[in-house]
Amino acid sequence: MIIVFLVFGCQKWFDYEAHALIPFISHGPLIFWLYPVFGIRGAAFFLGSAEFLIGALLLLGFWNRRLAVLGSLGSCATYVATVTIIPFFPEAWAAPAGGFPAATLPFLFLVKDIVLLSASVYLLKQDILRASNNERWIAFSEREATN
């Protein structure tokens, strides 16, 4: 997940990627507001920065359980935002191939986010459990030290 966020975040800094995102952001019910607020390049910079931050939080989460939970929450939010584009994506079915079930490549690119959302939810669950166990261990250690 760290590599996915860092690579995808890096892509957002290039002009070609900013323009390739137009159909995705324009039809995203949770992210459509990015263009009126930031413009095409600004929206891509915003998303790229957010993805870098999430990747960094996931990486730092190896050493800090709370940062791991924040990174996992950011990952879940990212993939919820992209998965909600799926029902609204235009020309999702490839007409030259006869339509449904033949899908266009941009649409299929979004479908992979269903799997990444599932992985993010699982990661969040694991990070919450690790953070919870860590807090219990710290409390136990402090009690033992005072006794």
Side-chain angles (χ1 to χ4, degrees):
M1 295 295 286
I2 295 165
I3 292 170
V4 168
F5 277 104
L6 295 179
V7 169
F8 282 7
C10 179
Q11 293 300 311
K12 306 291 189 296
W13 291 91
F14 297 103
D15 189 54
Y16 77 90
E17 179 71 10
H19 287 90
L21 291 173
I22 291 173
F24 298 99
I25 294 174
S26 298
H27 294 93
L30 300 178
I31 58 173
F32 70 92
W33 57 271
L34 290 173
Y35 285 149
V37 173
F38 297 114
I40 291 174
R41 288 301 302 268
F45 290 152
F46 175 84
L47 291 173
S49 298
E51 288 173 344
F52 275 136
L53 176 62
I54 293 166
L57 288 170
L58 291 172
L59 179 63
L60 294 172
F62 283 109
W63 299 279
N64 184 313
R65 308 291 192 230
R66 291 180 181 154
L67 293 179
V69 172
L70 285 175
S72 297
L73 281 169
S75 183
C76 288
T78 296
Y79 293 116
V80 165
T82 57
V83 166
T84 58
I85 299 169
I86 292 172
F88 304 100
F89 199 79
E91 301 173 10
W93 308 114
F100 179 83
T104 61
L105 188 56
F107 178 76
L108 291 174
F109 181 76
L110 287 173
V111 172
K112 63 120 175 67
D113 288 350
I114 295 169
V115 174
L116 291 171
L117 175 59
S118 300
S120 297
V121 169
Y122 179 78
L123 187 60
L124 177 61
K125 175 187 169 198
Q126 295 305 312
D127 287 338
I128 289 171
L129 289 173
R130 285 184 336 147
S132 172
N133 288 336
N134 192 44
E135 293 297 320
R136 285 190 207 126
W137 175 252
I138 290 171
F140 174 76
S141 298
E142 288 173 352
R143 260 184 297 168
E144 292 297 313
T146 57
N147 289 335

